[in-house]
């Protein structure tokens, strides 16, 4: 009986560390957020991922959607015309338009524009923190 209990415990531990469990856990955490927060978080993550994949040498580690202008949410769409992304200890302007599924978990469309570096002297007034 002890061997069976140990085997069940071992299987449960392995399952808890599997990618499927991790994805389920992330989904559960996202669903705890308000729909607007979930939409913004999902689209902010897409912005950082897109910059990291599509711009050589960029490794984004932070994004502020409201740095230069407030995001506008309408239904499942968010427009962030005044965002900023941090990479390599520097901040860059970034704007995006993003639409998600009704639950806010899947990005259906996404377009962005990476802009110029934000001068260090402007960071404080736009909520941009050093690394």
């Amino acid at each position: 009986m002890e061997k069976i209990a140990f085997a069940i415990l071992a299987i449960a531990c392995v399952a808890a560390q599997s990618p499927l469990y991790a994805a389920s856990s992330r989904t559960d955490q996202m669903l705890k957020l308000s729909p607007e927060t979930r939409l913004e978080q999902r689209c902010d993550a897409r912005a950082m991922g897109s910059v990291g994949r599509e711009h050589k040498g960029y490794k984004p580690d932070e994004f502020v959607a409201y740095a230069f202008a407030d995001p506008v949410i309408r239904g499942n769409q968010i427009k962030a015309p005044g965002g900023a992304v941090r990479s390599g200890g520097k901040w860059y302007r970034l704007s995006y338009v993003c639409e998600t599924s009704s639950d806010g978990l899947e990005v259906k469309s996404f377009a962005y524009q990476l802009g110029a570096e934000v001068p260090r002297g402007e960071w404080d007034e736009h909520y941009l923190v050093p690394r």
Side-chain angles (χ1 to χ4, degrees), residues 35-82:
E36 294 82 13
T37 301
R38 189 178 325 138
L39 170 66
E40 186 174 331
Q41 291 289 314
R42 186 64 192 95
C43 292
D44 288 357
R46 173 60 67 94
M48 289 181 21
S50 294
V51 169
R53 283 187 303 276
E54 297 172 13
H55 297 272
K56 186 177 180 175
Y58 283 73
K59 292 182 178 28
D61 62 357
E62 188 69 48
F63 183 80
V64 177
Y66 52 83
F68 296 93
D70 288 334
V72 177
I73 295 175
R74 286 199 178 93
N76 298 331
Q77 184 185 70
I78 180 171
K79 293 181 181 181

Side-chain angles (χ1 to χ4, degrees), residues 8-9 13 15-16 31 36 49 77-78 81 86 92 94 99 113 115:
I8 291 171
L9 180 61
C13 288
L31 289 172
E36 294 82 13
Q77 184 185 70
I78 180 171
R86 185 176 65 195
Y92 301 88
L94 187 143
E99 183 177 356
Q113 181 70 44

